[in-house]
Every structure is written in C-alpha cells, then in structure tokens.
Amino acid sequence: MKFLLDTHLLLWSAVGSERLSTEARRLIESQETELFFSAASIWEVAIKDALGRADFRVDPRLLRRGLLDNGYSELPVTGLHAAEIGLLPPLHGDPFDRILVAQARVEGFTLLTVDPMVARYRGPVRAL
C-alpha cells in the first residue's frame, strides 16, 4: 500500500517521537508499505521554521535527506495536483493540507494524518 504522510507525521517519524500512535508506527515500519512525502511538506517546514514555529524546528534540507535515506519517496507537486484542489470542499483552509489531500486523490495514495480537520475529507484519507 502507498501512503503519503502529512507533515506532522513526517516530523514525528523522523525524530522517533512518542507522539506517533502504535498504529502509525506499525504502518510506517511495515515492509508492505511504500512511504511518500510531498515536496509541499518540505516547503511547509521551511516556511514555518523560518517563522520560528517551535513545532517545526528542523532544517528542511536535513529532513528531506533523512527521509530519502530512510526509504521514503519524494512526491513533487504538479499542475494536476494543484487543479484537484478546486474540486475539494472548503473543509480546511490550510493550503499545505489541501495540497496533500489533492495529491493523495490524484495519485491513488492514502494520506495518513493526525489532523481531524483533514480527516473530514472524503476519499483516501486515514486518521491516526
């Protein structure tokens, strides 16, 4: 199964945070899953780290490299992904979360999220 992880799950998995649920840890560590991260998540980390957000205190270059080194695949943002946002209901205003939902829909991946607002989207979104 192919999973796209939301930004918080990426950060938590990268540092081995205890905030990861048992289910999230099981899915991330399973040999039967393909893990993806979006270029939009790296962009989000870069912006929020530069703004001084305490929950995003990580070098985005190091995060990206670490994810790649640990078997994650990078998913670029395409025009098709951007166009898909227009088909999403206005459930959530965060543009980073909306592009992740759109990418999961276009690519046929399941988006894993810890955000209850994101989990309200229909389609391939799974709350952990």
Side-chain angles (χ1 to χ4, degrees):
M1 183 155 224
K2 295 180 179 183
F3 294 119
L4 176 62
L5 276 67
D6 78 2
T7 307
H8 277 99
L9 280 174
L10 284 174
L11 290 170
W12 296 347
S13 69
V15 299
S17 173
E18 293 190 12
R19 295 181 76 177
L20 277 176
S21 68
T22 302
E23 182 183 11
R25 201 174 302 281
R26 182 184 59 76
L27 291 172
I28 289 169
E29 293 173 357
S30 172
Q31 296 295 325
E32 305 201 5
T33 62
E34 290 182 64
L35 300 173
F36 291 82
F37 68 94
S38 173
S41 289
I42 303 303
W43 181 19
E44 180 179 14
V45 168
I47 288 171
K48 292 180 179 177
D49 177 50
L51 292 173
R53 287 262 312 255
D55 54 339
F56 287 86
R57 300 301 307 169
V58 61
D59 182 322
R61 289 169 298 279
L62 293 177
L63 174 62
R64 179 181 179 274
R65 181 78 264 149
L67 291 168
L68 291 169
D69 289 348
N70 283 287
Y72 289 74
S73 296
E74 185 172 13
L75 181 61
V77 177
T78 69
L80 188 56
H81 297 147
E84 184 73 15
I85 290 174
L87 301 176
L88 296 177
L91 300 176
H92 195 10
D94 185 317
F96 295 109
D97 289 329
R98 290 175 61 80
I99 193 67
L100 295 177
V101 172
Q103 286 182 294
R105 287 173 46 145
V106 168
E107 301 298 329
F109 297 169
T110 298
L111 174 62
L112 300 179
T113 185
V114 294
D115 186 329
M117 292 296 292
V118 174
R120 292 177 51 207
Y121 283 102
R122 290 183 185 220
V125 179
R126 184 170 172 183
L128 298 175

